Amino acid sequence: MLLEWWSRTECTLFTDQATMQRLGKEHVVIILNHNFEIDFLCGWTMCERFGVLGSSKVLAKRELLCVPVIGWTWYFLEIVFCRRRWEEDRDTVVRGLQRLADYPEHMWFLLYCEGTRFTEKKHRVSMEVAASKGLPVLKYHLLPRTKGFTTAVQCLRGTVAAVYDVTLNFRGNKNPSLLGILYGKKYEADMCVRRFPLEEIPLDEKEAAQWLHKLYQEKDALQEMYAQEGVFPGQQFKPARRPWTLLNFLFWATVLLSPLFSFALGVFASGSPLLILTFLGFVGAASFGVRRLIGVTEIEKGSSYGNQEFKKKE
C-alpha cells in the first residue's frame, strides 16, 4: 500500500507479449538483482498485481525470522530460510523446497543469487574471487552463488515451468529507500523480465552453475545499457495496481486505530501523570521498533556477509 498508493511509485515492465500473458499463470523461479533497499517491495507489488502475492516464496536469511510481524508471518507462509552456510543449509533448504513441490496455487519463488546486497566493498572482494576463478568481471552485480539456484531448480523440476530473470533499476539514477517511501517520495522502477523455460537449464549441476554465471553476465550488459540509454530492451508494460492493498490497509486501520485513538483520548483525559508517561513510553517503544524494522532494509546497515565470505569456497 505504501509503495503503490502512498508514494505512488510506478513500476514498468520491459518484456515481450508472450511473457506478459504467462505472468501469474505458472510456477516459476525468479532471479532478481539485489542492489536497492526497496527491491523486495517492487517484487511484492508485481506479485500483487498478478495475483500471486499470497503464494510468493523466497529463499531468505534466517535472521529475518526475528523481525516482528514480518518474520513470524513468513514462517507460517512456508518461506525457506537459510543461514547462508551451505554445509548447514543443504538439508533445510532441500526439505523446504520439497514441501513446495506440490504447491496448489501458482507460485513465484524468489532467489537473490548474489546472497547479499551490493556494496562497493563487497563488489571489490567478489571480483577478486571472480578473477581467481577465471570468471568475467561484473560491473553492476556480485558474483552469483550457485548452490541455492542449482538446488532449487533440481528440487522444483517438474513443478516449475520457467525461470524469470528480472533486472531492476530506477529512473534518474535514483537510489530509493524505505524511508523515502514512508515520506511519500515517488520513484519510477523499471524491470526487465526475461523468461527461460526450465528445459533450457542444464540437468548437470556444474553446467547449471555455468548457465547462471552466463546469465549474470547478460544482466550486467542490461544494466550497462540502462546506464547509457535509460531504458531496457523490449516492449513496455505498466500493470495496473489493484485496490486490494488499499482496502486492506483502510480496513485494518479502522479496526485497530479507532480503539487506539479512543484509548489515547481517555489516557490524557484521566490527568494521571503515571498513565500518560506509560502511554508515551509505549508510543516511543513502538516508534523505535518501526525504525529498527526500517533499518533492516538500509544498505549501509546491512550485514557484513559477503565482505569475506566470497573468499571462502562455495
Side-chain angles (χ1 to χ4, degrees), residues 24-251:
K25 299 176 182 177
E26 58 183 351
H27 295 298
V28 298
V29 170
I30 293 181
I31 297 174
L32 178 63
N33 56 305
H34 207 8
N35 300 69
F36 304 99
E37 292 182 9
I38 66 167
D39 48 31
F40 71 98
L41 271 182
C42 294
W44 280 353
T45 192
M46 284 298 107
C47 290
E48 158 57 24
R49 294 184 190 196
F50 290 101
V52 293
L53 181 59
S55 57
S56 61
K57 312 297 177 186
V58 63
L59 182 60
K61 58 184 179 182
R62 192 168 184 83
E63 297 92 277
L64 292 176
L65 267 174
C66 301
V67 177
V69 183
I70 293 177
W72 310 332
T73 302
W74 279 15
Y75 175 81
F76 291 106
L77 288 177
E78 299 178 287
I79 299 300
V80 181
F81 292 97
C82 64
R83 299 182 185 275
R84 299 188 291 191
R85 293 190 291 270
W86 186 245
E87 295 75 14
E88 301 178 23
D89 288 332
R90 184 193 306 271
D91 293 340
T92 303
V93 170
V94 168
R95 285 196 301 270
L97 290 170
Q98 288 174 343
R99 287 197 300 269
L100 300 177
D102 59 350
Y103 202 80
E105 301 174 350
H106 292 131
M107 171 189 66
W108 286 6
F109 186 80
L110 172 64
L111 288 175
Y112 287 115
C113 292
E114 295 162 271
T116 185
R117 278 200 177 93
F118 184 101
T119 67
E120 291 299 330
K121 183 178 180 180
K122 293 175 183 178
H123 180 253
R124 184 174 63 254
V125 175
S126 176
M127 291 306 99
E128 291 174 0
V129 175
S132 69
K133 292 184 176 182
L135 295 170
V137 171
L138 302 173
K139 183 177 179 181
Y140 300 98
H141 300 85
L142 305 179
L143 191 68
R145 294 169 178 269
T146 60
K147 293 294 186 182
F149 172 74
T150 57
T151 301
V153 169
Q154 181 181 13
C155 291
L156 296 176
R157 197 176 288 274
T159 299
V160 166
V163 171
Y164 290 174
D165 170 49
V166 182
T167 305
L168 169 69
N169 212 322
F170 289 84
R171 296 182 192 178
N173 200 29
K174 297 285 182 64
N175 192 10
S177 66
L178 187 54
L179 273 178
I181 295 295
L182 289 174
Y183 293 152
K185 189 172 182 179
K186 182 178 181 179
Y187 301 105
E188 293 178 293
D190 289 333
M191 298 180 179
C192 180
V193 182
R194 300 184 297 161
R195 182 184 185 275
F196 298 91
L198 204 67
E199 294 76 20
E200 295 184 6
I201 315 298
L203 291 170
D204 180 74
E205 181 178 347
K206 185 176 181 180
E207 292 179 0
Q210 292 173 347
W211 184 93
L212 183 65
H213 283 299
K214 182 176 181 293
L215 182 78
Y216 267 79
Q217 294 164 31
E218 295 172 358
K219 289 173 76 69
D220 224 48
L222 287 170
Q223 291 285 32
E224 180 65 26
M225 175 183 175
Y226 193 88
Q228 297 295 328
E229 304 178 18
V231 293
F232 288 120
Q235 295 176 253
Q236 296 187 32
F237 301 88
K238 287 191 177 182
R241 61 184 180 180
R242 307 195 307 170
W244 310 122
T245 53
L246 179 61
L247 294 175
N248 185 62
F249 171 81
L250 292 175
F251 172 78

Side-chain angles (χ1 to χ4, degrees), residues 297-309:
T297 72
E298 294 177 348
I299 293 176
E300 64 270 20
K301 295 182 180 179
S303 71
S304 60
Y305 178 80
N307 292 334
Q308 299 298 329
E309 289 294 322

